[in-house]
Amino acid sequence: MKLLKKYIIVAVTLIGISSSVIAQSNGSVVRKRSGNDRNRNKQNEAQITDRMQSFFEETPTNESDLMWMRVIYRQLDASCNKNAPLFYPEEKTQDQENLFRIIMRLLANNQIKAYEYLDGREIFTDEYRIKVKDMLDRFHVIYDEAKGSTEKNPKFTIDDSDVPANEVLSYYILERWEFDSRDNQMKTKVDAICPVLHRSGDFGGEAIKYPMFWVKMQDIRPWLVQQYIFTDDDNNLAKYTYDDFFLLTMYNGDIYKTRNLQNKSMMQLYPDAKALKRAQDSIQCRLDSFENNLWVPDREEIIAKREAEATKKAKLEANDSTSNDDTEKKVAIKEDEKEQKSSARSSRAKKPAKRKEVKQSKIKNNNSTVRSVRRRK
């Protein structure tokens, strides 16, 4: 009996080993590897932990520490070459993804919050937080509910071809200019960004702008830091990130609104196109020169400024003298030409007068001779 039990145990172990070998040959190991691959893919994706998110959180600036602050609204258009990194490539590549696709991916995974676009004001509270599903339905974006999606944690899957990245041709940004008294520096930062859809009607015509939602820049910064972009066609190395792009103000946009008491846009305040352009340039000039106008220049700066003005004045005088010499030469040449023309005309006019005098003298002489002959007779 003992030997029989040993044989049975050995047979069972051999059967288990053979079944495991068969299972490996049938692909159970492949399924196990596929699970590992999925985990690796998840790890390779930009996973932002709570600790990393807290690293990018900024403490709100106390207004008592500010000497001056102004809120500017800008429009970043895709037609400007400086703004091209925000819109291209339209399709996702191996290592490149445009800004709108990043935002839509984060919204679909419920990793960031989005807020309603209110005409004339921005309120980033839970009361005005949008539902991603309603937003997708409103702008006719095709989606499916992802696995594990709940009412409290809704998640969606959107195919890359269904993301309307080619229709987002501009962005609205909320820009804040602050002069902090603690470090005596002017700071420019982007508080929020809003993608704008450009869609034409069923019968074509000019495209209509549809602002979609506001996203706080603070919420998406951890992902913007990880996406490298190249900003120059002559250098195809991705040396900057999206975060650098906004921190270094590498974009270029027109001012379409400033925070004012009437809460009106620039178009409402300046309906004329020329007046609007002058107002935009004036605001930008004041923003650029505000920090310089706060400080009193020292002795070296005053001397350098005077020398620069003296050299500039000398150049202007030299240019004026050369221009005066040229004008004097031109005037002298014109006067010589006039004198030559007048002398030619006078010489032509004098010749017939001499002939008349000669004829008259001949006539007089003839008359005198006749009279003298008659008297002799």
Side-chain angles (χ1 to χ4, degrees):
M1 289 296 291
K2 291 182 179 179
L3 291 172
L4 182 62
K5 288 181 179 179
K6 289 182 179 178
Y7 288 136
I8 292 170
I9 292 169
V10 171
V12 170
T13 54
L14 291 173
I15 291 169
I17 293 169
S18 62
S19 63
S20 63
V21 172
I22 293 169
Q24 288 180 2
S25 63
N26 289 333
S28 63
V29 174
V30 174
R31 285 196 295 272
K32 190 174 181 180
R33 286 180 180 176
S34 64
N36 291 332
D37 290 337
R38 283 196 296 270
N39 293 330
R40 286 197 194 96
N41 291 331
K42 289 181 180 180
Q43 291 176 0
N44 290 332
E45 291 179 357
Q47 296 295 322
I48 306 299
T49 61
D50 294 336
R51 184 178 180 181
M52 189 174 181
Q53 184 75 29
S54 63
F55 176 77
F56 289 97
E57 290 181 357
E58 297 179 359
T59 56
T61 307
N62 191 359
E63 293 185 358
S64 61
D65 296 328
L66 298 177
M67 295 179 61
W68 179 84
M69 187 267 290
R70 190 162 190 184
V71 178
I72 303 294
Y73 297 80
R74 292 186 187 273
Q75 179 179 352
L76 309 183
D77 199 352
S79 60
C80 182
N81 292 329
K82 288 187 177 181
N83 302 329
L86 299 177
F87 304 94
Y88 301 100
E90 292 182 355
E91 300 295 332
K92 183 180 178 181
T93 61
Q94 185 176 1
D95 55 352
Q96 293 289 328
E97 190 176 14
N98 64 18
L99 181 60
F100 182 69
R101 289 186 178 275
I102 294 174
I103 294 173
M104 289 297 289
R105 174 167 54 83
L106 296 176
L107 285 175
N109 295 331
N110 197 21
Q111 293 176 288
I112 59 173
K113 299 177 182 180
Y115 303 91
E116 291 184 11
Y117 177 83
L118 303 174
D119 190 10
R121 54 184 181 150
E122 293 71 38
I123 303 175
F124 303 134
T125 59
D126 292 336
E127 182 181 358
Y128 294 94
R129 182 181 176 182
I130 65 170
K131 295 181 179 180
V132 178
K133 184 176 181 180
D134 296 341
M135 182 270 295
L136 296 176
D137 293 334
R138 188 191 315 160
F139 296 106
H140 308 288
V141 179
I142 301 173
Y143 64 92
D144 292 324
E145 291 188 0
K147 292 182 179 180
S149 176
T150 59
E151 293 183 358
K152 293 183 178 180
N153 187 18
K155 295 182 180 180
F156 307 93
T157 57
I158 305 173
D159 193 56
D160 291 338
S161 60
D162 295 328
V163 177
N166 59 340
E167 294 181 328
V168 176
L169 300 178
S170 62
Y171 286 97
Y172 293 155
I173 62 171
L174 181 63
E175 195 178 63
R176 189 185 299 271
W177 292 66
E178 297 176 351
F179 188 84
D180 197 342
S181 61
R182 293 174 297 181
D183 52 5
N184 293 329
Q185 288 183 356
M186 176 76 78
K187 296 179 182 179
T188 306
K189 61 181 180 181
V190 179
D191 281 351
I193 187 168
C194 171
V196 182
L197 280 175
H198 292 236
R199 282 182 175 174
S200 56
D202 296 334
F203 300 99
E206 188 176 358
I208 302 174
K209 297 180 181 180
Y210 297 97
M212 299 181 69
F213 48 80
W214 284 106
V215 176
K216 295 176 68 174
M217 188 63 65
Q218 179 181 344
D219 295 340
I220 61 176
R221 275 193 69 191
W223 289 272
L224 299 185
V225 171
Q226 299 183 5
Q227 180 61 61
Y228 280 84
I229 58 174
F230 64 92
T231 59
D232 190 2
D233 292 336
D234 296 331
N235 186 3
N236 298 139
L237 292 175
K239 299 175 65 177
Y240 300 96
T241 64
Y242 275 126
D243 189 46
D244 298 331
F245 187 82
F246 288 104
L247 285 177
L248 301 175
T249 60
M250 301 173 70
Y251 53 85
N252 186 10
D254 294 330
I255 301 172
Y256 74 90
K257 184 184 175 183
T258 61
R259 183 172 291 177
N260 54 77
L261 296 175
Q262 298 177 354
N263 197 19
K264 291 184 178 180
S265 64
M266 299 288 289
M267 287 289 292
Q268 294 174 336
L269 295 174
Y270 305 97
D272 185 36
K274 292 182 179 179
L276 175 63
K277 182 63 177 175
R278 287 195 296 268
Q280 290 173 342
D281 295 340
S282 176
I283 293 170
Q284 186 63 48
C285 182
R286 278 181 281 172
L287 291 173
D288 295 335
S289 61
F290 180 82
E291 185 176 5
N292 295 327
N293 294 333
L294 289 176
W295 307 107
V296 178
D298 56 6
R299 183 172 178 274
E300 294 178 355
E301 291 178 353
I302 293 172
I303 293 171
K305 187 177 180 181
R306 288 178 180 175
E307 290 178 354
E309 291 178 354
T311 53
K312 186 177 180 181
K313 187 177 180 181
K315 288 181 180 180
L316 292 174
E317 289 177 354
N319 293 329
D320 292 338
S321 63
T322 53
S323 62
N324 290 330
D325 293 338
D326 294 336
T327 53
E328 288 177 357
K329 288 180 181 179
K330 290 179 181 179
V331 170
I333 291 168
K334 288 181 179 179
E335 289 180 353
D336 292 336
E337 291 178 354
K338 287 181 180 180
E339 288 179 357
Q340 290 177 1
K341 290 180 181 179
S342 63
S343 62
R345 289 176 183 174
S346 62
S347 62
R348 290 175 184 175
K350 289 177 181 178
K351 287 180 181 178
K354 289 181 180 178
R355 290 177 184 176
K356 289 180 180 180
E357 290 177 355
V358 171
K359 288 181 180 180
Q360 290 176 0
S361 61
K362 288 181 179 180
I363 293 167
K364 290 179 180 179
N365 293 330
N366 292 329
N367 293 331
S368 62
T369 53
V370 172
R371 287 177 184 174
S372 62
V373 171
R374 288 180 180 174
R375 285 177 183 174
R376 287 178 181 179
K377 290 181 178 180

